[in-house]
CSV table of all heavy atoms in Angstrom, one decimal:
chain,number,residue,atom,x,y,z
S,124,VAL,N,7.1,-2.0,11.3
S,124,VAL,CA,5.9,-1.3,11.7
S,124,VAL,C,5.9,-0.8,13.1
S,124,VAL,O,5.0,0.0,13.6
S,124,VAL,CB,4.6,-2.1,11.5
S,124,VAL,CG1,4.5,-2.6,10.1
S,124,VAL,CG2,4.6,-3.3,12.5
S,125,GLY,N,6.9,-1.1,13.9
S,125,GLY,CA,7.0,-0.6,15.3
S,125,GLY,C,6.1,-1.3,16.3
S,125,GLY,O,5.6,-0.8,17.3
S,126,ALA,N,5.9,-2.7,16.0
S,126,ALA,CA,5.1,-3.5,16.8
S,126,ALA,C,5.8,-3.8,18.1
S,126,ALA,O,7.0,-3.8,18.2
S,126,ALA,CB,4.7,-4.7,16.1
S,127,GLU,N,5.0,-4.0,19.2
S,127,GLU,CA,5.6,-4.4,20.4
S,127,GLU,C,6.0,-5.8,20.4
S,127,GLU,O,7.0,-6.1,21.1
S,127,GLU,CB,4.5,-4.2,21.6
S,127,GLU,CG,4.1,-2.9,22.0
S,127,GLU,CD,3.3,-2.9,23.2
S,127,GLU,OE1,2.9,-3.9,23.7
S,127,GLU,OE2,3.0,-1.7,23.7
S,128,SER,N,5.4,-6.7,19.7
S,128,SER,CA,5.8,-8.1,19.5
S,128,SER,C,5.5,-8.6,18.1
S,128,SER,O,4.7,-8.2,17.5
S,128,SER,CB,5.0,-8.9,20.6
S,128,SER,OG,5.1,-10.2,20.4
S,129,ALA,N,6.4,-9.6,17.7
S,129,ALA,CA,6.1,-10.3,16.5
S,129,ALA,C,4.9,-11.0,16.5
S,129,ALA,O,4.3,-11.3,15.4
S,129,ALA,CB,7.3,-11.2,16.2
S,130,ASP,N,4.3,-11.4,17.7
S,130,ASP,CA,3.0,-12.1,17.8
S,130,ASP,C,1.9,-11.2,17.3
S,130,ASP,O,0.7,-11.8,17.1
S,130,ASP,CB,2.8,-12.5,19.2
S,130,ASP,CG,3.7,-13.6,19.6
S,130,ASP,OD1,4.3,-14.3,18.7
S,130,ASP,OD2,3.9,-13.9,20.8
S,131,GLU,N,2.1,-9.9,17.0
S,131,GLU,CA,1.0,-9.0,16.5
S,131,GLU,C,1.1,-9.0,15.0
S,131,GLU,O,0.2,-8.2,14.4
S,131,GLU,CB,1.3,-7.6,17.1
S,131,GLU,CG,1.2,-7.6,18.6
S,131,GLU,CD,1.4,-6.1,19.1
S,131,GLU,OE1,2.3,-5.4,18.5
S,131,GLU,OE2,0.7,-5.7,20.1
S,132,ILE,N,1.8,-9.8,14.4
S,132,ILE,CA,2.0,-9.8,12.9
S,132,ILE,C,1.3,-11.0,12.3
S,132,ILE,O,1.8,-12.1,12.7
S,132,ILE,CB,3.5,-9.7,12.5
S,132,ILE,CG1,4.2,-8.5,13.0
S,132,ILE,CG2,3.6,-9.7,11.0
S,132,ILE,CD1,3.6,-7.1,12.7
S,133,VAL,N,0.4,-10.8,11.6
S,133,VAL,CA,-0.3,-11.8,10.8
S,133,VAL,C,0.0,-11.7,9.3
S,133,VAL,O,-0.2,-10.7,8.7
S,133,VAL,CB,-1.8,-11.8,11.0
S,133,VAL,CG1,-2.5,-12.9,10.2
S,133,VAL,CG2,-2.2,-11.9,12.5
S,134,PHE,N,0.5,-12.8,8.7
S,134,PHE,CA,0.7,-12.8,7.3
S,134,PHE,C,-0.5,-13.2,6.5
S,134,PHE,O,-1.2,-14.2,6.9
S,134,PHE,CB,1.9,-13.8,7.0
S,134,PHE,CG,3.2,-13.3,7.4
S,134,PHE,CD1,4.0,-14.0,8.3
S,134,PHE,CD2,3.7,-12.1,6.8
S,134,PHE,CE1,5.2,-13.5,8.7
S,134,PHE,CE2,4.9,-11.6,7.3
S,134,PHE,CZ,5.7,-12.3,8.2
S,135,VAL,N,-0.8,-12.4,5.5
S,135,VAL,CA,-2.0,-12.6,4.7
S,135,VAL,C,-1.6,-12.5,3.2
S,135,VAL,O,-0.4,-12.2,2.9
S,135,VAL,CB,-3.1,-11.6,5.0
S,135,VAL,CG1,-3.8,-11.9,6.3
S,135,VAL,CG2,-2.6,-10.1,5.0
S,136,ARG,N,-2.6,-12.5,2.3
S,136,ARG,CA,-2.1,-12.4,0.9
S,136,ARG,C,-1.9,-10.9,0.5
S,136,ARG,O,-1.2,-10.6,-0.5
S,136,ARG,CB,-3.3,-13.0,0.0
S,136,ARG,CG,-3.3,-14.5,0.0
S,136,ARG,CD,-4.4,-15.0,-1.0
S,136,ARG,NE,-5.6,-14.5,-0.6
S,136,ARG,CZ,-6.6,-14.6,-1.5
S,136,ARG,NH1,-6.5,-15.0,-2.7
S,136,ARG,NH2,-7.8,-14.1,-1.1
S,137,GLY,N,-2.4,-9.9,1.2
S,137,GLY,CA,-2.3,-8.6,0.8
S,137,GLY,C,-3.2,-7.7,1.7
S,137,GLY,O,-3.9,-8.3,2.5
S,138,THR,N,-3.2,-6.4,1.4
S,138,THR,CA,-4.1,-5.5,2.2
S,138,THR,C,-5.5,-5.9,2.1
S,138,THR,O,-6.2,-5.8,3.0
S,138,THR,CB,-3.9,-4.1,1.6
S,138,THR,OG1,-2.4,-3.7,1.7
S,138,THR,CG2,-4.6,-3.1,2.5
S,139,THR,N,-6.0,-6.3,0.9
S,139,THR,CA,-7.4,-6.7,0.7
S,139,THR,C,-7.7,-7.8,1.6
S,139,THR,O,-8.8,-7.8,2.3
S,139,THR,CB,-7.7,-7.1,-0.8
S,139,THR,OG1,-7.4,-6.0,-1.6
S,139,THR,CG2,-9.0,-7.6,-1.0
S,140,GLU,N,-6.9,-8.8,1.7
S,140,GLU,CA,-7.3,-10.0,2.5
S,140,GLU,C,-7.2,-9.6,4.0
S,140,GLU,O,-8.1,-10.1,4.8
S,140,GLU,CB,-6.3,-11.2,2.3
S,140,GLU,CG,-6.8,-12.4,3.2
S,140,GLU,CD,-6.0,-13.7,2.7
S,140,GLU,OE1,-4.8,-13.8,3.2
S,140,GLU,OE2,-6.6,-14.4,2.0
S,141,ALA,N,-6.3,-8.7,4.4
S,141,ALA,CA,-6.2,-8.3,5.8
S,141,ALA,C,-7.5,-7.5,6.2
S,141,ALA,O,-7.9,-7.7,7.3
S,141,ALA,CB,-4.9,-7.3,6.0
S,142,ILE,N,-8.0,-6.7,5.4
S,142,ILE,CA,-9.2,-5.9,5.7
S,142,ILE,C,-10.4,-6.9,5.8
S,142,ILE,O,-11.2,-6.8,6.7
S,142,ILE,CB,-9.5,-4.8,4.7
S,142,ILE,CG1,-8.3,-3.8,4.9
S,142,ILE,CG2,-10.8,-4.2,4.9
S,142,ILE,CD1,-8.3,-2.7,3.7
S,143,ASN,N,-10.4,-7.8,4.9
S,143,ASN,CA,-11.5,-8.8,4.8
S,143,ASN,C,-11.4,-9.7,6.1
S,143,ASN,O,-12.4,-10.2,6.7
S,143,ASN,CB,-11.5,-9.7,3.7
S,143,ASN,CG,-12.3,-9.0,2.5
S,143,ASN,OD1,-13.5,-9.1,2.4
S,143,ASN,ND2,-11.5,-8.3,1.6
S,144,LEU,N,-10.2,-10.0,6.6
S,144,LEU,CA,-10.0,-10.8,7.8
S,144,LEU,C,-10.7,-10.0,9.0
S,144,LEU,O,-11.4,-10.6,9.8
S,144,LEU,CB,-8.5,-11.0,8.0
S,144,LEU,CG,-8.1,-12.0,9.1
S,144,LEU,CD1,-6.7,-12.5,8.9
S,144,LEU,CD2,-8.2,-11.5,10.5
S,145,VAL,N,-10.3,-8.8,9.1
S,145,VAL,CA,-10.9,-8.0,10.2
S,145,VAL,C,-12.4,-8.0,10.1
S,145,VAL,O,-13.2,-8.1,11.2
S,145,VAL,CB,-10.2,-6.6,10.2
S,145,VAL,CG1,-10.9,-5.8,11.4
S,145,VAL,CG2,-8.7,-6.7,10.4
S,146,ALA,N,-12.9,-7.7,8.9
S,146,ALA,CA,-14.4,-7.6,8.7
S,146,ALA,C,-15.0,-8.9,9.1
S,146,ALA,O,-16.0,-9.0,9.8
S,146,ALA,CB,-14.7,-7.2,7.3
S,147,GLY,N,-14.4,-10.0,8.6
S,147,GLY,CA,-15.0,-11.4,8.8
S,147,GLY,C,-14.8,-11.9,10.2
S,147,GLY,O,-15.7,-12.7,10.6
S,148,SER,N,-13.8,-11.6,10.9
S,148,SER,CA,-13.5,-12.0,12.3
S,148,SER,C,-14.0,-11.0,13.3
S,148,SER,O,-15.0,-11.2,13.9
S,148,SER,CB,-12.1,-12.3,12.4
S,148,SER,OG,-11.8,-12.7,13.8
S,149,TRP,N,-13.3,-10.0,13.5
S,149,TRP,CA,-13.7,-8.9,14.4
S,149,TRP,C,-15.0,-8.4,14.1
S,149,TRP,O,-15.9,-8.2,15.1
S,149,TRP,CB,-12.6,-7.8,14.5
S,149,TRP,CG,-13.0,-6.8,15.5
S,149,TRP,CD1,-12.5,-6.8,16.8
S,149,TRP,CD2,-13.7,-5.6,15.4
S,149,TRP,NE1,-12.9,-5.7,17.5
S,149,TRP,CE2,-13.8,-4.9,16.6
S,149,TRP,CE3,-14.5,-5.1,14.3
S,149,TRP,CZ2,-14.5,-3.8,16.9
S,149,TRP,CZ3,-15.2,-3.9,14.6
S,149,TRP,CH2,-15.2,-3.3,15.8
S,150,GLY,N,-15.3,-8.1,12.9
S,150,GLY,CA,-16.5,-7.4,12.5
S,150,GLY,C,-17.8,-8.3,12.8
S,150,GLY,O,-18.8,-7.7,13.4
S,151,HIS,N,-17.7,-9.5,12.5
S,151,HIS,CA,-18.8,-10.4,12.7
S,151,HIS,C,-19.1,-10.6,14.2
S,151,HIS,O,-20.3,-10.9,14.6
S,151,HIS,CB,-18.7,-11.7,12.0
S,151,HIS,CG,-19.2,-11.7,10.5
S,151,HIS,ND1,-20.5,-12.0,10.3
S,151,HIS,CD2,-18.6,-11.3,9.4
S,151,HIS,CE1,-20.7,-11.8,8.9
S,151,HIS,NE2,-19.6,-11.4,8.4
S,152,ALA,N,-18.0,-10.5,15.0
S,152,ALA,CA,-18.2,-10.7,16.5
S,152,ALA,C,-18.6,-9.5,17.2
S,152,ALA,O,-19.1,-9.6,18.3
S,152,ALA,CB,-16.8,-11.3,17.0
S,153,ASN,N,-18.3,-8.3,16.6
S,153,ASN,CA,-18.6,-7.1,17.4
S,153,ASN,C,-19.5,-6.0,16.8
S,153,ASN,O,-19.8,-5.1,17.4
S,153,ASN,CB,-17.2,-6.4,17.5
S,153,ASN,CG,-16.3,-7.2,18.4
S,153,ASN,OD1,-16.3,-7.1,19.7
S,153,ASN,ND2,-15.3,-8.0,17.8
S,154,VAL,N,-20.0,-6.3,15.5
S,154,VAL,CA,-20.9,-5.3,15.0
S,154,VAL,C,-22.3,-6.0,14.9
S,154,VAL,O,-22.5,-7.1,14.4
S,154,VAL,CB,-20.4,-5.0,13.5
S,154,VAL,CG1,-21.4,-4.0,12.8
S,154,VAL,CG2,-19.0,-4.3,13.6
S,155,GLY,N,-23.3,-5.1,15.3
S,155,GLY,CA,-24.7,-5.6,15.2
S,155,GLY,C,-25.7,-4.6,14.6
S,155,GLY,O,-25.3,-3.5,14.3
S,156,PRO,N,-26.9,-4.8,14.7
S,156,PRO,CA,-27.9,-3.9,14.2
S,156,PRO,C,-27.9,-2.5,14.8
S,156,PRO,O,-27.7,-2.4,16.0
S,156,PRO,CB,-29.2,-4.6,14.5
S,156,PRO,CG,-28.9,-6.1,14.6
S,156,PRO,CD,-27.5,-6.1,15.2
S,157,GLY,N,-27.9,-1.5,14.0
S,157,GLY,CA,-27.9,-0.2,14.6
S,157,GLY,C,-26.5,0.4,14.7
S,157,GLY,O,-26.3,1.6,15.0
S,158,ASP,N,-25.5,-0.5,14.7
S,158,ASP,CA,-24.1,0.0,14.8
S,158,ASP,C,-23.6,0.7,13.6
S,158,ASP,O,-24.2,0.6,12.5
S,158,ASP,CB,-23.1,-1.2,15.2
S,158,ASP,CG,-23.3,-1.7,16.5
S,158,ASP,OD1,-23.9,-1.0,17.4
S,158,ASP,OD2,-22.9,-2.9,16.8
S,159,GLU,N,-22.5,1.4,13.6
S,159,GLU,CA,-22.0,2.2,12.5
S,159,GLU,C,-20.5,1.8,12.3
S,159,GLU,O,-19.7,1.6,13.2
S,159,GLU,CB,-22.1,3.7,12.8
S,159,GLU,CG,-23.6,4.1,12.9
S,159,GLU,CD,-23.8,5.6,13.3
S,159,GLU,OE1,-22.7,6.3,13.5
S,159,GLU,OE2,-24.9,6.1,13.2
Side-chain angles (χ1 to χ4, degrees):
V124 302
E127 286 189 359
S128 168
D130 290 342
E131 296 178 326
I132 302 300
V133 178
F134 287 118
V135 290
R136 288 185 299 165
T138 305
T139 298
E140 184 170 81
I142 295 171
N143 276 275
L144 189 163
V145 176
S148 173
W149 183 92
H151 272 269
N153 291 278
V154 176
D158 288 341
E159 296 177 355

